[in-house]
Amino acid sequence: MAIRHSGRVVSRLASATYRRVGARGSALAAATAAAALVLSACGGSGAGGGNTATGDIKLGISVPLSGAVGSSCSPMNQAMLAWFKHVNATGGINGHQIKVDNRDDGYDAARSVTNTKAFIAEHVVAVTGQCGSLQPPAQLPLLNAAKIPFMYVFGASTSLLKPLSPMYFNLMPTYGSQLVDEIPWVFKAHGPGTVALMDTVTPDSPTTAKQVEAAVKAAGGTFVGDYKAPPGTADFAPDVLKIKQKHPDYVVLDQIPQDAARFTQAMTDNGFAPNKFLVGSSAVSQQTFLNGVSSALQPKLLVSSDTIAPAGAGTTQCESVLKAANVKVEDVTLRGCGTAQVVEKVLRTAKQPISSQGVVAAMESMSGVKASEIYPPVSFSATNHVGVSSLYVFGVKNGAFYQVGSIGG
């Protein structure tokens, strides 16, 4: 597969940039403003906008290979590339090779804008494979103007769905939507109670906090507080001690996995555990998080996921392809492989020659399509750009996630 790697790979896990909410908010606002200034220069090459592939099928991927979420996003990216390489090695898409411009954005909105401008200049058919909630709001204005579809972010942004953005499609429901469905399920199984929420600050976290509080109250529980920290926070002891004083039955995690791992470590260090469970979304349904959770806390975990557990992947082609590419088979790499499978299905379904408009039309025609071994059936329409409507619920046994239930359908 033709893959272009661009951008600096720099470890910035504890960078002050990620510790300061104001700095992060200003950077995101500046990046979004910069995107708006160049909209007029981003028109597509087709008659109706967007681009058409007459040879190789060009895709753009801007993804954190470094920065606060690089340790989970980079393996996901490796898995996507491994599947695309497999597709190319087995004949491509109707004889055409998938060509990926793969760029690091370091979980930084401004860098993702720079990458997106490059993709538009290269006339990519679609942009996919993003990982994170900070970057998409800055990227999407450019892609909407260029009429290039933005496919399947591993991240959540309600603002990109309400109002509906014509070029934004995701497989995963927002983290808030997942928690809204998961909380009643947990209360039904284990009884209502008091709930504290721990957030990583992202553009979507205020919306998620409101959704969680409303869901807790609607299901008969009591919401005792929302606690926030910027991405990359190193010391969660102050937050843990505040929450500990509330003696909550449940702690809901709306955090990036690296932050959630440090938060739960601080819980262990300070002798705190919720009376009942730690509850999370697919943001933490990955080994990157679980590896940092003490054995004492692991039995208290309940998390939702839009992808199958690794324990159920033994007979999938994804597992075979990942092993052949020397990519570890785990939740986040199965997500990457599954996402690439859905992209492949859309490209095969799209009218030939493949164009940006054809990709959008192909997605909006999908109804109950089993496009991947890893995801539930996928449905999109002109008014629905979130493909997955059912979720798995995972517990933990012997240091690994396993399915204990399901939500929706």
Side-chain angles (χ1 to χ4, degrees):
M1 176 177 53
I3 307 169
R4 175 183 173 186
H5 292 273
S6 179
R8 296 175 294 116
V9 180
V10 182
S11 177
R12 298 189 292 172
L13 182 61
S15 166
T17 302
Y18 298 104
R19 300 175 193 246
R20 296 180 57 86
V21 180
R24 171 56 64 192
S26 298
L28 176 60
T32 305
L37 289 173
V38 297
L39 294 184
S40 62
C42 295
S45 61
N51 300 309
T52 300
T54 55
D56 291 335
I57 302 166
K58 297 179 182 178
L59 303 176
I61 297 179
S62 177
V63 63
L65 304 177
S66 61
V69 295
S71 60
S72 53
C73 293
S74 182
M76 187 189 89
N77 176 251
Q78 292 171 17
M80 288 194 74
L81 298 181
W83 186 262
F84 289 143
K85 183 177 181 179
H86 164 74
V87 172
N88 285 343
T90 52
I93 306 294
N94 299 319
H96 298 290
Q97 298 283 287
I98 298 172
K99 181 178 180 181
V100 180
D101 185 356
N102 197 63
R103 295 173 176 248
D104 181 23
D105 62 33
Y107 198 48
D108 181 84
R111 288 176 67 182
S112 72
V113 165
T114 299
N115 294 344
T116 303
K117 291 178 186 177
F119 301 151
I120 293 168
E122 294 164 9
H123 304 297
V124 301
V125 168
V127 172
T128 189
Q130 181 56 281
C131 179
S133 301
L134 291 176
Q135 316 94 304
Q139 293 175 266
L140 188 61
L142 294 168
L143 295 171
N144 275 341
K147 297 185 179 179
I148 295 172
F150 193 8
M151 302 168 67
Y152 318 147
V153 174
F154 182 24
S157 185
T158 305
S159 65
L160 306 186
L161 295 165
K162 296 180 180 180
L164 189 72
S165 294
M167 293 296 118
Y168 180 76
F169 293 80
N170 213 353
L171 295 169
M172 182 184 75
T174 66
Y175 299 136
S177 296
Q178 292 182 47
L179 292 169
V180 163
D181 289 339
E182 186 180 3
I183 287 166
W185 185 94
V186 171
F187 280 11
K188 183 176 181 180
H190 302 285
T194 55
V195 178
L197 171 65
M198 186 68 222
D199 284 317
T200 293
V201 176
T202 69
D204 218 45
S205 57
T207 299
T208 300
K210 292 177 182 177
Q211 290 175 302
V212 168
E213 181 174 2
V216 167
K217 293 177 179 177
T222 302
F223 189 75
V224 299
D226 176 18
Y227 302 85
K228 305 176 180 67
T233 294
D235 182 12
F236 282 99
D239 301 289
V240 166
L241 293 174
K242 291 176 184 176
I243 296 172
K244 184 178 180 180
Q245 292 177 352
K246 300 289 186 177
H247 306 287
D249 295 311
Y250 300 96
V251 174
V252 173
L253 304 175
D254 179 37
Q255 295 182 283
I256 61 175
Q258 294 81 357
D259 285 359
R262 289 191 292 276
F263 174 74
T264 55
Q265 182 60 54
M267 290 175 63
T268 300
D269 293 343
N270 287 278
F272 168 60
N275 298 325
K276 293 185 178 182
F277 285 95
L278 283 159
V279 179
S281 69
S282 57
V284 294
S285 63
Q286 51 185 294
Q287 206 68 31
T288 305
F289 162 64
L290 189 56
N291 287 341
V293 181
S294 71
S295 58
L297 277 180
Q298 286 186 3
K300 286 182 172 285
L301 283 173
L302 287 173
V303 301
S304 60
S305 178
D306 52 326
T307 59
I308 64 172
T315 60
T316 64
Q317 196 171 8
C318 269
E319 179 164 294
S320 299
V321 168
L322 294 178
K323 285 183 175 179
N326 294 316
V327 175
K328 183 180 179 181
V329 179
E330 55 182 333
D331 26 54
V332 74
T333 57
L334 289 173
R335 176 179 296 279
C337 181
T339 300
Q341 287 182 328
V342 181
V343 173
E344 178 198 358
K345 179 66 174 179
V346 170
L347 295 176
R348 293 194 185 281
T349 304
K351 182 180 178 181
Q352 303 295 312
I354 294 173
S355 66
S356 298
Q357 289 178 302
V359 167
V360 170
M363 284 190 284
E364 291 185 343
S365 71
M366 297 175 79
S367 179
V369 175
K370 187 60 176 170
S372 165
E373 309 161 293
I374 308 304
Y375 286 96
V378 174
S379 297
F380 293 107
S381 71
T383 57
N384 170 42
H385 284 190
V386 177
V388 171
S389 61
S390 59
L391 298 167
Y392 308 105
V393 181
F394 295 163
V396 179
K397 184 186 296 182
N398 299 323
F401 288 115
Y402 75 105
Q403 185 177 342
V404 298
S406 59
I407 303 169

